[in-house]
Amino acid sequence: MSSSEVEIRQMPANAIPQAEKIKIWLLSEDADFQIVEGIRICKNVEGLAEATWRLGKSFLDEIKACLIQLSYLIAMRDLPDNQDKPSENSVIALHFEKPTIVPCEPGWKIEFIPVYTVKGPVKVAGREVSPNSYAHLTEEERVTGDFYAILLMFKP
């Protein structure tokens, strides 16, 4: 684990209002957070895709493939479970309540976007991520704080 690959970036201006809308949705019962292997994860994948597609569009220059995946998830929601679905891009929402390692497989990139801080500060690899900022990850990193985050993951 190394923080040499972590970049803290300012969110695109048009992403800030989208992050606020996502925060409201994540705090609602619609997000359906459940504990999976000790981490609170949003289980409403369809609702998450609907809630985050505009945010993905705001990051278009950084993560063009993620926007395609978000749109594709919405379009594919009625496909049978046995039909192949793409796995090169993904979006997840997590509620971090304790120090946690965020895995990042080789070749993948993650736009790690804190959208609501319950109790801060939010830190990635020991570096504070201020409001309206996000961390660009290319390898696993430790995060601390009590906060909700969107992870836009893609493999270029």
Side-chain angles (χ1 to χ4, degrees):
M1 183 171 45
S2 167
S3 62
S4 63
E5 298 296 322
V6 174
E7 294 179 51
I8 306 298
R9 301 174 176 175
Q10 290 297 307
M11 289 178 61
N14 58 348
I16 295 169
Q18 299 308 320
E20 183 64 25
K21 291 176 185 176
I22 292 168
K23 173 187 94 171
I24 293 166
W25 186 82
L26 289 177
L27 295 174
S28 75
E29 289 183 11
D30 291 339
D32 188 23
F33 278 88
Q34 297 176 16
I35 298 174
V36 177
E37 296 183 21
I39 297 176
R40 294 187 68 213
I41 185 168
C42 173
K43 299 299 284 185
N44 182 351
V45 178
E46 182 179 318
L48 181 61
E50 290 280 352
T52 59
W53 77 270
R54 283 186 180 89
L55 180 69
K57 187 175 178 182
S58 299
F59 282 82
L60 189 56
D61 289 338
E62 291 91 349
I63 51 167
K64 291 178 183 177
C66 191
L67 176 62
I68 294 167
Q69 175 64 14
L70 292 173
S71 299
Y72 197 64
L73 283 173
I74 293 167
M76 293 189 55
R77 62 182 158 217
D78 296 323
L79 285 180
D81 288 337
N82 63 349
Q83 188 158 346
D84 288 337
K85 296 178 183 175
S87 61
E88 294 296 298
N89 305 287
S90 186
V91 59
I92 60 172
L94 301 168
H95 179 186
F96 295 93
E97 299 174 289
K98 59 185 176 183
T100 305
I101 299 296
V102 175
C104 184
E105 296 295 323
W108 285 81
K109 298 183 185 301
I110 300 174
E111 306 301 3
F112 185 90
I113 308 166
V115 293
Y116 177 68
T117 303
V118 177
K119 185 176 181 182
V122 174
K123 291 188 177 184
V124 176
R127 297 180 61 198
E128 188 168 338
V129 182
S130 61
N132 302 327
S133 296
Y134 68 100
H136 176 78
L137 309 180
T138 57
E139 57 187 58
E140 73 177 22
E141 296 294 350
R142 183 175 191 261
V143 300
T144 59
D146 184 352
F147 62 98
Y148 291 81
I150 296 293
L151 283 69
L152 300 174
M153 303 176 295
F154 60 102
K155 189 172 185 178

